[in-house]
Amino acid sequence: MPPPILPPSQVFVLASYMRDLGVRVDQFPRPGETRVGGDFLESHGGKGSNQAIQAARCGARVAIVAALGQDAPGERACELWRAEGLDTLGVVVRAGQTTGTALILVDDRGENQIVIAPGANTTMSTADVDTAGAALDAARVVVCQLETPLACTQHAFGRARAAGATTVLNCAPAPSALPAALWALTDILIANEIEAAALSGCPPDTEPAQMAQVLLARVGRGVAITLGSQGALWCERGAAPLRQPAPGIDVVDTTGAGDAFVGAFAAAWARQADPGQALIQGVTAGSLACIRRGVVPALADAAAIARLQASAISRAAP
Ligand code: RIB
């Protein structure tokens, strides 16, 4: 049967996928300590998959490339992506591999600690990226993180540049360095404060705007640093930094808040390439991702994002 004809994607994501296994704890265990936790939650995760779903819920047409194991979690991932309306022509299922898994602890303040066993994600190849090449070449924004092989990220960004798309790198999990060739292909870098410190070489307590300036020298367009409950910051050459505060919310679970920021930012950028708009969309989606437990159930749609923005504006009015 010929492949279905889909409308061109606006956002293309190199989508890591993890089966998230989460436990609530009153506080994180110290080395050697066993703690009794609360409820166990198994849910969908993986930074790339979370970002792709958030972009789709913001109204973007999203295509992905992903590598799954031939197992039940892999089948559930495919069902999820179809239900979210993603173009999954670039999804490969690897015999003999296990779908990626993440172990997640969430404490009483909603903060998290995560360890991933990437499994099949590490088998993604540049040939897999080329399988989804038509969708990649059509996209306005191409998003990568660091849970899939760097060679694939570089290859995808190379194709994206050749096709005139904006490349967005979310440098999570935090690396200590990136290859010069990847910096040269990155238009926009999105980092949290830990990742920005690791990549810039600045001490962790450095002002985020200062870390952004160091990182800005290495990318083509701009740097966004997420600041948790303080919102986010955007820096680009020749313009004053933009700061977007976060709306006040009751935090339940911060897991995936950064992914929500990236997905909403990418969807907004694909629409109008306006840093201020992309920043406000990212911060609002990131805040909404914290009000429910788990990641995918907490990713908001465009209407919920607009409602929170409207209520924040009316609260700020005299
Ligand atoms: O950013 C949150 C995600 O990081 C989780 O869903 C987990 O799977 C890890 O990839």
Side-chain angles (χ1 to χ4, degrees), residues 105-174:
L105 298 180
V106 179
D107 76 2
D108 277 350
R109 295 165 306 151
E111 299 296 338
N112 61 70
Q113 285 187 343
I114 303 177
V115 177
I116 62 167
N121 291 291
T122 63
T123 72
M124 186 188 285
S125 67
T126 56
D128 297 333
V129 175
D130 286 336
T131 304
L136 197 169
D137 294 344
R140 296 196 189 128
V141 174
V142 174
V143 179
C144 294
Q145 337 65 38
L146 300 176
E147 288 183 334
T148 48
L150 272 182
C152 295
T153 305
Q154 257 171 248
H155 186 65
F157 277 6
R159 274 190 85 136
R161 271 283 175 82
T166 300
T167 58
V168 175
L169 180 65
N170 173 221
C171 55

Side-chain angles (χ1 to χ4, degrees), residues 18 20 45-47 50 102 104 114 116 147 255-256 259 295:
M18 311 287 166
D20 282 0
K47 295 182 190 305
N50 298 339
I104 302 180
I114 303 177
I116 62 167
E147 288 183 334
T255 312
D259 300 333
V295 180

Side-chain angles (χ1 to χ4, degrees), residues 54-305:
Q54 179 65 78
R57 289 190 185 174
C58 287
R61 290 190 304 274
V62 179
I64 58 172
V65 58
L68 300 168
Q70 196 172 37
D71 50 20
E75 282 169 23
R76 289 196 289 273
C78 290
E79 284 162 20
L80 168 75
W81 291 332
R82 278 194 289 269
E84 296 288 339
L86 307 189
D87 171 348
T88 56
L89 289 176
V91 175
V92 292
V93 174
R94 296 263 192 264
Q97 290 288 332
T98 308
T99 294
T101 302
L103 304 180
I104 302 180
L105 298 180
V106 179
D107 76 2
D108 277 350
R109 295 165 306 151
E111 299 296 338
N112 61 70
Q113 285 187 343
I114 303 177
V115 177
I116 62 167
N121 291 291
T122 63
T123 72
M124 186 188 285
S125 67
T126 56
D128 297 333
V129 175
D130 286 336
T131 304
L136 197 169
D137 294 344
R140 296 196 189 128
V141 174
V142 174
V143 179
C144 294
Q145 337 65 38
L146 300 176
E147 288 183 334
T148 48
L150 272 182
C152 295
T153 305
Q154 257 171 248
H155 186 65
F157 277 6
R159 274 190 85 136
R161 271 283 175 82
T166 300
T167 58
V168 175
L169 180 65
N170 173 221
C171 55
S176 51
L178 288 175
L182 183 56
W183 280 118
L185 291 168
T186 300
D187 293 316
I188 295 175
L189 183 80
I190 302 180
N192 65 21
E193 288 169 276
I194 296 171
E195 293 148 4
L199 267 187
S200 64
C202 296
D205 56 353
T206 307
E207 259 299 294
Q210 208 178 318
M211 295 197 275
Q213 289 304 326
V214 175
L215 297 169
L216 185 56
R218 303 182 200 162
V219 301
R221 175 67 198 264
V223 174
I225 299 189
T226 58
L227 307 169
S229 61
Q230 301 304 304
L233 168 78
W234 166 262
C235 289
E236 64 181 311
R237 278 179 280 281
L242 296 176
R243 273 181 190 274
Q244 177 60 46
I249 44 129
D250 292 327
V251 173
V252 173
D253 180 358
T254 58
T255 312
D259 300 333
F261 178 95
V262 174
F265 184 102
W269 197 278
R271 256 194 319 275
Q272 59 181 137
D274 175 331
Q277 271 305 314
L279 199 64
I280 190 168
Q281 291 293 106
V283 168
T284 315
S287 299
L288 285 166
C290 299
I291 64 177
R292 281 198 193 92
R293 190 165 175 211
V295 180
V296 172
L299 297 176
D301 62 14
I305 291 171

